[in-house]
Amino acid sequence: MEELRWHLVRSAFAIIALAVVGFIYTKEILDYVVFGPTRPNFPSYRWLCSLGNALGMGDKLCMEPVKFKFLNTQMAGMVMLQFKVAIIVGVVGALPYVFWEFWQFVKPALKERELKGSRGIILWVSMQFFIGVLFSYFLVAPFTVNFPASYNVSDQIDNQFLFDDYFGLMSQIVFGMGVLFELPILVYFLAKVGILGPTFLRTYRRHAIVVLLVLAAVITPPDVLDQLLVFIPLYMLYEISILISARVYRKRQAEEKEEEWS
């Protein structure tokens, strides 16, 4: 317990240190990162437009973000927003180090064979998380922002948004996708210890599709395109997880047969 406490303390210090950086540079993070999808020069809009021109579709894929300003209706709204930015920057930025601390705590309890199969785990976990974050930020977020901003059922109604709602939506999508992209890593370890196998994943594929659709609906607005943008990569990750578990299962069976013969 004493060792676990120090791992947690060091992880907390790493998060706090990066949170301080996020607190100091809140304005730059908001203007250039968080509110990036609301700007016409956001890279995704340029890439989509260039792709449309390259495919001979003209300007059909060109998308101009809806122009709007955010409202603050609370006295302490700006202060709370700055703390939220700081916390998210701290958690996301310190994730590789936090996992390293967790791994150092778990590592002594693993067998030599398990350690051999987990080489580079910190790199893979961190890479999967940040791939999910970048995917959601550059591909999902632009559509997620523009759909509710441009949706209007009457010309007599103006869309005005609270910045807290926008920030919460962005955080939910980006962080949620980062966590969901860890699915292959989780399946690998469950298959490694014999808890999860390819047969189980194939048998419950249809159930998994329903769960993934629900997750896509939870972390995105009620827009079919946004939900498909989230569901498709998650389903691909599920199929990749089946391949990973099958490979681990075959390898574990071969090792067990070698042990029996020896």
Side-chain angles (χ1 to χ4, degrees):
M1 292 300 295
E2 179 69 16
E3 186 176 350
L4 175 61
R5 185 178 69 174
W6 281 109
H7 284 297
L8 294 175
V9 168
R10 287 192 291 268
S11 298
F13 271 117
I15 293 173
I16 292 172
L18 288 174
V20 171
V21 176
F23 190 87
I24 295 173
Y25 294 99
T26 298
K27 185 179 185 304
E28 290 77 9
I29 294 170
L30 286 174
D31 290 345
Y32 298 108
V33 180
V34 177
F35 295 141
T38 67
R39 298 180 180 276
N41 61 349
F42 190 65
S44 299
Y45 302 133
R46 299 200 305 268
W47 297 338
L48 286 173
C49 197
S50 300
L51 178 62
N53 292 327
L55 295 175
M57 301 173 61
D59 295 335
K60 290 184 179 180
L61 292 182
C62 295
M63 185 169 57
E64 195 73 23
V66 179
K67 295 181 180 179
F68 54 89
K69 280 192 174 288
F70 299 101
L71 302 177
N72 173 36
T73 60
Q74 298 179 354
M75 290 289 291
M78 293 293 184
V79 177
M80 294 305 299
L81 176 64
Q82 190 166 14
F83 277 104
K84 289 178 182 178
V85 172
I87 292 171
I88 290 179
V89 169
V91 172
V92 173
L95 179 70
Y97 178 78
V98 171
F99 185 77
W100 182 82
E101 287 286 352
F102 173 76
W103 178 246
Q104 292 301 309
F105 176 74
V106 174
K107 190 176 178 180
L110 299 179
K111 298 178 181 179
E112 185 177 352
R113 186 177 64 183
E114 294 170 337
L115 288 172
K116 185 179 179 181
S118 59
R119 290 177 181 173
I121 183 61
I122 298 174
L123 174 64
W124 284 107
V125 168
S126 303
M127 186 174 67
Q128 284 292 116
F129 177 78
F130 287 116
I131 287 175
V133 167
L134 293 175
F135 173 83
S136 58
Y137 179 71
F138 284 106
L139 189 57
V140 180
F143 293 96
T144 302
V145 169
N146 278 274
F147 172 75
S150 60
Y151 192 84
N152 199 327
V153 295
S154 173
D155 294 335
Q156 302 300 316
I157 304 174
D158 290 331
N159 282 330
Q160 295 183 346
F161 306 98
L162 299 176
F163 67 82
D164 199 46
D165 291 340
Y166 172 83
F167 185 75
L169 180 62
M170 286 288 292
S171 303
Q172 177 180 321
I173 294 170
V174 173
F175 192 78
M177 286 295 289
V179 173
L180 291 174
F181 264 59
E182 300 288 356
L183 178 62
I185 306 294
L186 177 62
V187 169
Y188 173 81
F189 273 100
L190 292 178
K192 198 73 177 174
V193 297
I195 297 177
L196 196 62
T199 304
F200 179 87
L201 294 174
R202 293 192 184 103
T203 303
Y204 291 94
R205 180 186 274 114
R206 287 179 294 180
H207 300 77
I209 290 175
V210 175
V211 173
L212 294 177
L213 284 171
V214 171
L215 288 173
V218 168
I219 66 175
T220 59
D223 176 37
V224 176
L225 180 59
D226 286 340
Q227 292 173 4
L228 286 176
L229 285 173
V230 173
F231 169 75
I232 291 173
L234 290 181
Y235 179 71
M236 292 175 62
L237 288 173
Y238 185 83
E239 292 295 334
I240 292 172
S241 299
I242 294 177
L243 298 176
I244 291 173
S245 64
R247 182 179 178 182
V248 173
Y249 180 75
R250 289 193 300 267
K251 188 176 181 180
R252 192 175 70 248
Q253 280 191 322
E255 290 175 349
E256 289 176 355
K257 287 182 179 180
E258 288 180 4
E259 290 178 357
E260 289 178 1
W261 283 104
S262 60

